[in-house]
């Protein structure tokens, strides 16, 4: 009698553990699938912006992408947010070896998810006018409180058909959790 109870308890424990592993594993796999989609969408942004900078701005020594920041908006009680996760990518635009300014781009502003294609596609807002606006606004914000001598580092950075074809480019699609 004791032996059959022990066997039944062992079988029940094994089944419970298997169920937990399946549920946990499927959650993990779903998260990894979503992260792959984020990487595909952010790659569109990084490729477009890098190409645009190299062709249309001179005075750039290096373009360095900072990865993919994700704010997971899940509630333990309510589950995933109706608005989805917040996903962004930041580019550092170096005008000298150690002088740069940063520009942020968000996945939902620059791309759209196409359910028929099951991937992100470039949205109409990812265009030269909006990219120029973001660059100029973030450059002004970065240099606003600098001294005149510190602003000298940025004097060669300007919109130009010569571009910066020799700029070093560092792409980064690593995902990290955004912290505030």
């Amino acid at each position: 009698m004791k032996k059959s109870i022990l066997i039944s308890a062992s079988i029940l424990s094994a089944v419970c553990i298997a169920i937990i592993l399946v549920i946990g594993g499927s959650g993990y796999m779903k998260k990894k699938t979503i992260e792959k989609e984020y990487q595909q969408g952010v790659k569109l942004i990084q490729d477009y912006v890098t190409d645009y900078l190299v062709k249309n701005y001179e005075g750039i020594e290096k373009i360095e992408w900072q990865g993919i920041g994700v704010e997971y908006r899940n509630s333990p009680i309510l589950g995933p947010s109706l608005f989805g996760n917040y996903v962004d990518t930041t580019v550092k635009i170096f005008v000298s070896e150690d002088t740069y300014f940063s520009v942020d781009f968000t996945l939902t502003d620059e791309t759209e998810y196409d359910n028929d294609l099951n991937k992100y596609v470039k949205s109409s807002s990812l265009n030269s006018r909006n990219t120029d606006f973001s660059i100029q606004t973030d450059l002004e914000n970065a240099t606003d409180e600098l001294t005149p001598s510190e602003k000298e580092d940025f004097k060669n950075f300007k919109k130009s058909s010569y571009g910066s074809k020799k700029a070093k480019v560092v792409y980064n699609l690593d995902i990290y959790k955004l912290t505030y």
Side-chain angles (χ1 to χ4, degrees), residues 6 19 25 31 90 101-102 108 121 138 143 149 162 171 174 178:
L6 185 60
I19 290 172
K31 180 180 178 185
T90 300
F101 68 99
S102 299
T108 55
V121 295
D138 289 346
T143 60
S149 65
Y162 295 115
Y171 292 98
D174 294 339
L178 287 172

Side-chain angles (χ1 to χ4, degrees), residues 44-63:
L44 290 173
I45 297 168
Q46 290 186 3
D47 288 345
Y48 176 84
V49 172
T50 299
D51 185 61
Y52 187 75
L53 283 166
V54 166
K55 290 179 179 176
N56 296 286
Y57 283 88
E58 66 179 84
I60 300 173
E61 288 200 15
K62 181 167 71 168
I63 299 166

Side-chain angles (χ1 to χ4, degrees), residues 8-161:
S8 297
S10 296
I11 291 172
L12 183 60
S13 296
V15 168
C16 289
I17 290 171
I19 290 172
I20 290 170
L21 288 174
V22 167
I23 291 171
S26 67
Y28 174 80
M29 293 306 293
K30 183 175 181 174
K31 180 180 178 185
K32 288 299 175 191
T33 300
I34 290 169
E35 288 178 350
K36 284 283 187 204
E37 290 172 349
Y38 292 162
Q39 288 172 321
Q40 178 268 321
V42 169
K43 184 174 182 335
L44 290 173
I45 297 168
Q46 290 186 3
D47 288 345
Y48 176 84
V49 172
T50 299
D51 185 61
Y52 187 75
L53 283 166
V54 166
K55 290 179 179 176
N56 296 286
Y57 283 88
E58 66 179 84
I60 300 173
E61 288 200 15
K62 181 167 71 168
I63 299 166
E64 184 178 279
W65 291 93
Q66 302 303 300
I68 303 169
V70 179
E71 177 186 338
Y72 295 97
R73 296 179 175 172
N74 291 328
S75 163
I77 299 167
L78 303 175
S81 167
L82 291 175
F83 301 111
N85 296 324
Y86 177 82
V87 181
D88 79 357
T89 187
T90 300
V91 62
K92 289 182 178 179
I93 302 168
F94 286 81
V95 296
S96 71
E97 189 175 322
D98 58 354
T99 304
Y100 67 90
F101 68 99
S102 299
V103 182
D104 291 317
F105 296 93
T106 58
L107 185 64
T108 55
D109 288 344
E110 318 306 337
T111 64
E112 298 170 351
Y113 191 80
D114 185 316
N115 286 316
D116 294 331
L117 297 173
N118 290 321
K119 66 179 189 175
Y120 284 93
V121 295
K122 189 173 86 97
S123 74
S124 61
S125 66
L126 187 57
N127 59 47
S128 60
R129 193 176 104 220
N130 289 341
T131 302
D132 285 334
F133 179 79
S134 294
I135 291 166
Q136 292 307 314
T137 301
D138 289 346
L139 175 62
E140 288 171 15
N141 289 339
T143 60
D144 187 43
E145 297 195 18
L146 296 179
T147 66
S149 65
E150 292 171 322
K151 287 182 183 183
E152 278 293 308
D153 291 338
F154 293 92
K155 73 177 180 190
N156 293 328
F157 176 78
K158 59 186 167 208
K159 187 150 184 181
S160 163
S161 61

